[in-house]
Amino acid sequence: MPWYKDKFLIRFVAVLAFVKTLFFLYIYFKNPLGEQVLIFPDSLGYVYPAQTLLTYGHFWEAVTANPLILRTPGYPLFLALIQFGIGNLTWAVAIVQNILSILLILPVYLTTRDLAGERASRISAILTAISVLYFSLSFAVLTEILCAFLLAWFVYFSLRFTKTPRMHTAVGAAIFLAAAIYVRPAAYYFAFVSCVFFFCTFRTYWKQILCAFVLPLLVFLGAWHLRNFCTTGYAGFSTVNAYNLYFWNEDFVAQKNGLSIPQANEWLQARLPKNFDSLPTREQVKAYRFLGTLLLKAGWKYKLLNAPRWAAKTLLGTNFIHTSRLLLGVPEDEQTLAFNMLNQTKNLHHDFLQSLKAKLIFGISFVQIFLTLLLALLGVLSSYKKAQKALSFLTIYCLYFWGIGSVFFGAYARFRAPFEFVLCILGGLGANALIPFLQAQCKRINQKGR
């Protein structure tokens, strides 16, 4: 039966759209924070280049006339299209991203259906729909929902290729992966990981992989490399890696010198070369890498000891602060918001867990992701022998994004967004394997009761 004839899926999507509409109306009319609840400290870095594109026809860095190089153009272009088409930005972004979060169910459903059939695909769709993380990030001017949507289609086409290697599925995977990289460069190195996986797994199809996957990626990504070199003299895809290599040492600097995180940020800013902002991009990148490497050499033990905690925060984080602001409208000044939402050094924010409502939001969020993880683990264990290539790819995919989202003190739930939908796919496989076992146990209990 074609997916569009699955009445459960159609009805479920309709119900989900209705529920999301109610949530949107509640947040729009009842939340006392207004559109500020959608804005993060990172948002300006995407909104400003979107506005310069509409006004001047070029992407510029935030509050400058410098070519965009720290951020990538995917999300600013997305914002610009919304602004151009609808004439509004913040609330229109929330509407479009909520639509994308609903449509995210489709590649999850189709991927799971190819792996384990209709029942598993329905369960995966439900797990994706009840994701607290995706719900909250749908109401944020941030890259995660758009990136997750594109990556979900990349995963779908990739698994179609692992099942039956075809040129068109490889091209589809390349297009969606490249688009996701333009939105969020954290996915950049997974292009290399994917190439290695496909070449090692399908050696006899190396020509198809080279022509339909590798070459399109090189063309799509190379275009932005070329643009950067022509406009700034720097041939990299983005300077964000070098920037983060330096500033992700804030926690070590704070711990070593007895400073707060904001003070550590000021300390790092003060140690950049004089007139740093006026230096050519290549010189800025060299300075970031040199100084960042020195700090990493000095603080590697601290990083290594804290890595398990950061990994747990990424995997089990509830995105509580943003979710509670959406539902409860708790006001905060801009500086406090920046610290609490983007520099979460604490494992738990006990100061926010005072009311019963707050505790319920946190508890429901934690239970949701914890159960999804348990089902995902069961899915890997129960289905690996049946679909080794596909499960290997999904496992590598999760480990990659989990790893890069867990390497510094600010690790938090937002960095789980690129792979939570894969956890939902695996969770559908796990629940599908668990249901027959539970049915058998219930049957035994009923027979003994007689």
Side-chain angles (χ1 to χ4, degrees):
M1 178 180 68
W3 65 269
Y4 51 85
K5 292 186 178 181
D6 186 345
K7 292 183 180 179
F8 172 87
L9 178 65
I10 303 302
R11 291 169 182 168
F12 181 71
V13 168
V15 171
L16 179 61
F18 176 73
V19 172
K20 277 187 166 286
T21 301
L22 292 181
F23 269 120
F24 179 86
L25 293 175
Y26 165 76
I27 293 170
Y28 183 84
F29 289 106
K30 296 295 184 179
N31 194 300
L33 300 179
E35 67 179 18
Q36 287 303 309
V37 77
L38 311 177
I39 305 299
F40 281 61
D42 278 3
S43 299
L44 179 63
Y46 303 110
V47 172
Y48 186 82
Q51 293 173 337
T52 63
L53 177 66
L54 291 172
T55 305
Y56 303 102
H58 300 284
F59 291 108
W60 292 352
E61 287 285 3
V63 201
T64 71
N66 298 323
L68 184 70
I69 192 73
L70 178 66
R71 304 294 185 186
T72 44
Y75 195 65
L77 177 61
F78 172 75
L79 297 180
L81 290 174
I82 292 175
Q83 177 78 42
F84 179 78
I86 302 178
N88 179 271
L89 190 60
T90 48
W91 290 112
V93 169
I95 292 173
V96 174
Q97 289 186 168
N98 271 278
I99 293 172
L100 289 181
S101 71
I102 295 172
L103 295 178
L104 177 62
I105 289 175
L106 182 56
V108 169
Y109 174 92
L110 293 174
T111 302
T112 313
R113 184 170 174 164
D114 283 348
L115 291 173
E118 190 175 82
R119 182 172 63 185
S121 64
R122 291 174 174 178
I123 296 171
S124 293
I126 293 172
L127 291 175
T128 306
I130 64 174
S131 167
V132 177
L133 181 65
Y134 289 146
F135 157 73
S136 60
L137 290 176
S138 298
F139 294 94
V141 184
L142 293 172
T143 62
E144 273 69 24
I145 290 297
L146 177 59
C147 185
F149 177 78
L150 295 170
L151 286 173
W153 283 109
F154 158 67
V155 168
Y156 167 72
F157 281 108
S158 295
L159 293 197
R160 294 280 292 183
F161 184 82
T162 64
K163 187 176 181 179
T164 307
R166 293 288 186 270
M167 294 281 283
H168 69 278
T169 53
V171 171
I175 291 173
F176 280 104
L177 178 57
I181 292 170
Y182 270 94
V183 172
R184 191 161 180 79
Y188 184 86
Y189 295 108
F190 196 73
F192 173 77
V193 175
S194 300
C195 292
V196 172
F197 177 84
F198 288 139
F199 276 123
C200 291
T201 308
F202 303 98
R203 296 176 185 174
T204 57
Y205 293 93
W206 67 269
K207 291 182 180 179
Q208 291 91 327
I209 296 170
L210 180 63
C211 295
F213 186 74
V214 177
L215 289 181
L217 276 176
L218 290 176
V219 171
F220 294 141
L221 301 181
W224 191 248
H225 280 276
L226 181 61
R227 175 267 186 190
N228 290 343
F229 180 75
C230 292
T231 56
T232 70
Y234 172 67
F237 193 75
S238 167
T239 61
V240 69
N241 289 337
Y243 176 89
N244 289 335
L245 180 67
Y246 183 61
F247 282 103
W248 281 359
N249 289 288
E250 287 170 343
D251 56 326
F252 171 66
V253 171
Q255 185 267 345
K256 182 180 179 182
N257 299 314
L259 304 174
S260 67
I261 295 298
Q263 288 172 335
N265 181 275
E266 294 176 2
W267 188 93
L268 289 169
Q269 293 280 6
R271 275 150 185 79
L272 291 172
K274 292 182 178 180
N275 301 318
F276 180 79
D277 291 336
S278 63
L279 293 176
T281 302
R282 286 179 296 179
E283 297 302 318
Q284 292 182 5
V285 169
K286 288 180 181 179
Y288 280 141
R289 288 176 176 168
F290 175 74
L291 296 172
T293 301
L294 291 179
L295 289 170
L296 283 178
K297 288 180 179 179
W300 68 270
K301 290 183 180 179
Y302 170 85
K303 298 283 188 182
L304 190 62
L305 290 173
N306 283 277
R309 181 168 66 91
W310 298 334
K313 288 172 63 178
T314 298
L315 196 61
L316 296 170
T318 60
N319 205 38
F320 168 75
I321 294 177
H322 183 216
T323 305
S324 63
R325 281 170 55 82
L326 285 170
L327 299 179
L328 303 179
V330 180
E332 287 182 281
D333 62 77
E334 186 175 345
Q335 185 176 1
T336 303
L337 175 63
F339 180 81
N340 285 324
M341 299 184 78
L342 298 180
N343 294 311
Q344 296 188 21
T345 56
K346 299 179 181 178
N347 293 332
L348 289 176
H349 288 269
H350 296 286
D351 47 333
F352 287 89
L353 293 171
Q354 302 299 321
S355 68
L356 178 60
K357 290 181 180 179
K359 291 177 181 178
L360 283 173
I361 292 171
F362 178 85
I364 292 171
S365 302
F366 183 79
V367 168
Q368 177 264 313
I369 185 55
F370 187 72
L371 289 179
T372 301
L373 284 171
L374 287 181
L375 290 174
L377 180 59
L378 178 60
V380 174
L381 296 176
S382 63
S383 304
Y384 184 77
K385 290 183 179 180
K386 300 176 185 178
Q388 291 187 10
K389 294 175 182 178
L391 269 292
S392 295
F393 180 83
L394 292 178
T395 302
I396 293 170
Y397 178 94
C398 287
L399 291 176
Y400 171 86
F401 283 102
W402 183 24
I404 63 172
S406 306
V407 295
F408 78 116
F409 76 101
Y412 52 106
R414 179 184 164 197
F415 291 157
R416 192 176 64 247
F419 69 95
E420 182 160 327
F421 71 86
V422 176
L423 297 179
C424 295
I425 292 171
L426 296 173
L429 301 182
N432 190 55
L434 184 61
I435 288 173
F437 173 78
L438 294 177
Q439 289 174 337
Q441 293 300 313
C442 291
K443 189 175 181 180
R444 288 180 184 178
I445 293 172
N446 290 334
Q447 289 175 346
K448 289 181 180 180
R450 293 176 184 173

